[in-house]
Amino acid sequence: RNQSDPDMKLTLIQNGRTTYVISIRKSATEPERFAAAELSRYLEKIAGARIPIKESARGRHVIVLDTNLKAKSPDAFSIRTVGPKLTLSGASPRAVLFAVYTFLEEYLGCGWLKPNDEHVPNLDAVTIGRLNISQQPSFRDRILVHFPYHRARTAEQIDWMAKRKLNISFV
């Protein structure tokens, strides 16, 4: 198909197999590496294929995670397809993680209603259409107060916070 075709579909995983890799920059920070690991882990849960993570991967079938987005908010992100590539860009490493969770939730059907409770669909294929999404939070601070404090519960809440795009944890 013509790469400029608006009806073009990308099949990231089909029947437990993939030709895609997740590309991160060589100097990727821990939050960026965590975002890549989460994307790979959830895609495996969804469709049975773990997409490998490589530094500075090139090629046609690449999911690029980067911090190249220029925006007023450090939590702004975009999710775009360009030909056979999927790019999840953030204005900061945390925003890249927000892009990953938004992609999983809004386009693949994952859900995180409350801490330690998730819905992950079971699909034969992960196929997406053309995407050109940008999000920027309306509020700079999105806070969760952990009260009363219980160590184990707070750890679960902090994990859930990123999935809900909260950015401040107050213990």
Side-chain angles (χ1 to χ4, degrees):
R1 284 187 132 167
N2 181 338
Q3 288 189 9
S4 64
D5 182 351
D7 296 326
M8 189 171 82
K9 302 282 187 208
L10 302 183
T11 300
L12 304 179
I13 300 172
Q14 187 162 16
N15 299 323
R17 302 187 118 156
T18 186
T19 58
Y20 276 81
V21 298
I22 297 170
S23 178
I24 58 174
R25 46 193 190 106
K26 288 183 181 180
S27 60
T29 62
E30 281 306 309
E32 291 170 271
R33 292 178 187 280
F34 180 71
E38 285 286 271
L39 181 59
S40 181
R41 183 172 74 88
Y42 275 102
L43 286 171
E44 183 176 31
K45 284 175 130 180
I46 292 167
R50 183 170 286 258
I51 297 180
I53 301 164
K54 298 190 177 189
E55 292 180 351
S56 302
R58 299 197 184 275
R60 291 180 44 82
H61 295 164
V62 178
I63 302 171
V64 178
L65 275 59
D66 67 44
T67 56
N68 293 335
L69 188 67
K70 303 295 182 228
K72 288 181 182 179
S73 170
D75 291 336
F77 62 86
S78 69
I79 302 169
R80 302 189 193 300
T81 53
V82 178
K85 292 182 183 173
L86 171 64
T87 302
L88 299 124
S89 296
S92 69
R94 178 175 61 209
V96 173
L97 182 59
F98 291 165
V100 165
Y101 287 138
T102 299
F103 173 71
L104 292 168
E105 183 176 26
E106 294 185 15
Y107 301 100
L108 300 184
C110 290
W112 301 280
L113 186 59
K114 62 183 184 175
N116 206 26
D117 182 19
E118 66 181 16
H119 168 75
V120 179
N122 184 359
L123 304 174
D124 292 329
V126 173
T127 301
I128 58 172
R130 184 180 209 105
L131 300 174
N132 187 7
I133 306 331
S134 293
Q135 289 188 13
Q136 184 164 281
S138 299
F139 299 97
R140 185 189 72 193
D141 299 330
R142 296 166 318 279
I143 302 168
L144 180 65
V145 177
H146 307 279
F147 183 83
Y149 173 78
H150 297 285
R151 183 182 206 117
R153 187 177 76 197
T154 299
E156 291 172 354
Q157 290 171 338
I158 289 170
D159 177 69
W160 172 81
M161 285 177 64
K163 293 173 172 108
R164 303 306 326 142
K165 297 185 229 72
L166 300 175
N167 63 355
I168 296 176
S169 177
F170 187 74
V171 180

